[in-house]
Amino acid sequence: MDKSILITSSVLNADFGNLAADIRMINDSQADFIHLDIMDGMFVPNISFGFPVVEAISKIARKPMEAHLMIEQPDRYVERFAKAGCSWLSVHYEACPHLHRSLQLIKSCGMKSGIALNPHTPVSLLEDILDMADLVILMSVNPGFGGQKFIPATMGKIEKLRAMIDKAGLDTLIEIDGGVNKDNVASLLNAGADMVVAGSAVFKAENPVEYIRLMKEAR
Ligand code: DX5
Ligand code: ZN
């Protein structure tokens, strides 16, 4: 396959004492997006960071910011994420009783809309909403923490979702989030993924820019 994977680099495992340096590293790399993991301590058992940090990143970032909201009632904050500079915004299927309305709201604020699915949530549930989504994030770990192990059952979900998107003639992107590294990225691409989150594997690497290049060039 000729297509190369899109890389969205998560700052969850960055050095928050020296965040600017890590954002510049992402700027200098082949990453396509910056992935912002927003956690409220309710939807997931962890709290990450909020608007002051997003706004600070926005001032330095030279790649589009793609935020992944792991929060309850995300509609409350959609407009503020747009104002803070995010161009893509994803909400969790499991957190949105009125998902259609949430996606409409994201689009009305001028952002691309995304739906994130927990590992236990079947992709078939997206059948009647898929045409509203620019992006679907398939969680390949339980959301809340970086550095977890990839859940193998994600592979079948990628294939099913790819078939649904192609059958409907949509250009919705499939993003895989959690436990992705240079050794499994080619299998995700071949199963039908368009984009992967590069998280702790990058920040653990001796040369993060080079590690992102290896992920980008995986086939
Ligand atoms: C997990 C987050 C991920 C996380 C991925 O809740 O959504 O984006 O940063 O980190 P790694 O790549 O370390 O699994
Ligand atoms: Zn994420």
Side-chain angles (χ1 to χ4, degrees), residues 36-119:
L36 303 176
D37 285 305
I38 309 296
M39 306 178 184
D40 65 353
M42 294 293 288
F43 182 70
V44 288
N46 198 9
I47 297 176
S48 56
F49 52 84
F51 294 110
V53 174
V54 174
E55 283 156 9
I57 293 173
S58 166
K59 289 191 184 120
I60 306 168
R62 295 286 169 268
K63 313 266 178 174
M65 298 197 302
E66 186 252 317
H68 171 200
L69 303 190
M70 286 160 272
I71 67 176
E72 290 182 354
Q73 301 179 33
D75 294 12
R76 294 173 294 163
Y77 296 108
V78 166
E79 200 179 339
R80 284 190 68 186
F81 279 101
K83 287 201 172 119
C86 295
S87 43
W88 293 66
L89 196 70
S90 298
V91 293
H92 263 266
Y93 180 92
E94 302 83 2
C96 295
H98 302 286
L99 184 56
H100 188 280
R101 182 183 289 150
S102 302
L103 299 184
Q104 273 180 332
L105 176 61
I106 293 171
K107 286 171 183 288
S108 74
C109 291
M111 295 181 287
K112 299 279 190 188
S113 61
I115 307 169
L117 292 192
N118 277 338

Side-chain angles (χ1 to χ4, degrees), residues 10 12 35 37 39 68 70 139 143-147 177-179 197 199-200:
S10 165
L12 190 61
H35 182 87
D37 285 305
M39 306 178 184
H68 171 200
M70 286 160 272
M139 292 307 301
F145 304 92
D177 189 1
V197 176
S200 57

Side-chain angles (χ1 to χ4, degrees), residues 60-188:
I60 306 168
R62 295 286 169 268
K63 313 266 178 174
M65 298 197 302
E66 186 252 317
H68 171 200
L69 303 190
M70 286 160 272
I71 67 176
E72 290 182 354
Q73 301 179 33
D75 294 12
R76 294 173 294 163
Y77 296 108
V78 166
E79 200 179 339
R80 284 190 68 186
F81 279 101
K83 287 201 172 119
C86 295
S87 43
W88 293 66
L89 196 70
S90 298
V91 293
H92 263 266
Y93 180 92
E94 302 83 2
C96 295
H98 302 286
L99 184 56
H100 188 280
R101 182 183 289 150
S102 302
L103 299 184
Q104 273 180 332
L105 176 61
I106 293 171
K107 286 171 183 288
S108 74
C109 291
M111 295 181 287
K112 299 279 190 188
S113 61
I115 307 169
L117 292 192
N118 277 338
H120 75 278
T121 305
V123 296
S124 57
L125 289 175
L126 296 179
E127 193 183 330
D128 295 320
I129 191 74
L130 202 50
D131 63 340
M132 287 286 294
D134 298 298
L135 176 71
V136 174
I137 301 180
L138 295 181
M139 292 307 301
S140 41
V141 297
N142 285 298
F145 304 92
Q148 304 180 80
K149 235 173 114 258
F150 182 86
I151 297 172
T154 312
M155 299 309 293
K157 293 177 75 174
I158 301 173
E159 285 166 10
K160 276 188 207 153
L161 182 58
R162 177 84 272 153
M164 285 168 71
I165 290 170
D166 291 350
K167 187 167 170 229
L170 298 170
D171 52 14
T172 308
L173 297 177
I174 302 177
E175 173 180 325
I176 310 304
D177 189 1
V180 180
N181 56 51
K182 68 173 176 42
D183 300 320
N184 62 10
V185 65
S187 63
L188 303 174

Side-chain angles (χ1 to χ4, degrees), residues 24-40:
R24 288 191 193 100
M25 179 282 288
I26 296 171
N27 288 344
D28 292 341
S29 78
Q30 289 185 41
D32 300 278
F33 298 90
I34 298 187
H35 182 87
L36 303 176
D37 285 305
I38 309 296
M39 306 178 184
D40 65 353

